[in-house]
Amino acid sequence: RVQQAAQLQAQLQLLLQAEAAQAAAAARVQQAAQAAAQLQQRSPLYQVARVQQAAQEQRVVSFLPKVREWFVQKSTALYHSWQRFVGGKRASDDAWKMYKSLRDDIIIRVKDDATRQHLIQDLRVEMRKDYPQWAELWN
């Protein structure tokens, strides 16, 4: 039994030494990886790659507003259709309620029929200009 205990103790010592060696090796690997990353970050090729990546990201970001601007200018009808689709019935109702409130205010404040009709017509023109996607509401 003493001999078995000695053997187990020797095996335990070997196992502990192996674990310690493995931990030391892992630490060395981690240090080597950090050193390699630092060297890579200092290298001119890495810096050039980072600059190119940043430039590419900047091109994409600066490209998006230009696409939207072209879309608004060149395909106005399609853009207005898209706005109606995205806004839906609620946006249409909000625009109509705003028009009705302004129209009612004109009707209440202005007593002369000719002036009232002229102001309401101006309001319709203004609403068509400000909300072209809902222009059919004010025809």
Side-chain angles (χ1 to χ4, degrees):
R1 287 189 177 214
V2 174
Q3 194 176 18
Q4 282 181 336
Q7 285 178 345
L8 286 175
Q9 190 174 11
Q11 288 176 351
L12 182 61
Q13 286 294 333
L14 288 175
L15 187 60
L16 290 174
Q17 288 174 357
E19 285 179 359
Q22 185 179 10
R28 285 192 302 272
V29 167
Q30 187 176 10
Q31 288 174 349
Q34 288 174 351
Q38 288 174 351
L39 284 175
Q40 181 186 16
Q41 289 177 356
R42 287 188 211 142
S43 76
L45 292 177
Y46 178 80
Q47 297 298 330
V48 168
R50 289 294 299 147
V51 168
Q52 287 175 344
Q53 182 182 3
Q56 181 67 22
E57 290 169 359
Q58 182 61 33
R59 277 190 292 252
V60 169
V61 169
S62 67
F63 180 69
L64 294 176
K66 292 175 185 173
V67 168
R68 183 186 177 282
E69 181 181 340
W70 177 87
F71 187 67
V72 170
Q73 289 177 353
K74 301 296 183 186
S75 56
T76 304
L78 184 60
Y79 180 67
H80 291 162
S81 174
W82 177 74
Q83 283 182 314
R84 284 190 298 272
F85 174 76
V86 169
K89 181 74 173 151
R90 192 181 100 230
S92 172
D93 290 343
D94 290 345
W96 181 247
K97 285 177 188 175
M98 182 175 25
Y99 167 75
K100 282 182 14 184
S101 70
L102 292 171
R103 183 196 63 193
D104 292 345
D105 190 40
I106 290 171
I107 291 172
I108 291 170
R109 290 180 183 213
V110 178
K111 299 300 178 195
D112 181 41
D113 283 339
T115 306
R116 183 186 309 156
Q117 290 302 320
H118 182 70
L119 290 174
I120 290 174
Q121 186 60 33
D122 286 349
L123 176 62
R124 287 181 183 155
V125 168
E126 206 174 298
M127 294 297 278
R128 268 190 234 108
K129 183 181 75 173
D130 291 343
Y131 301 96
Q133 68 272 29
W134 306 113
E136 71 272 2
L137 295 175
W138 302 289
N139 285 337

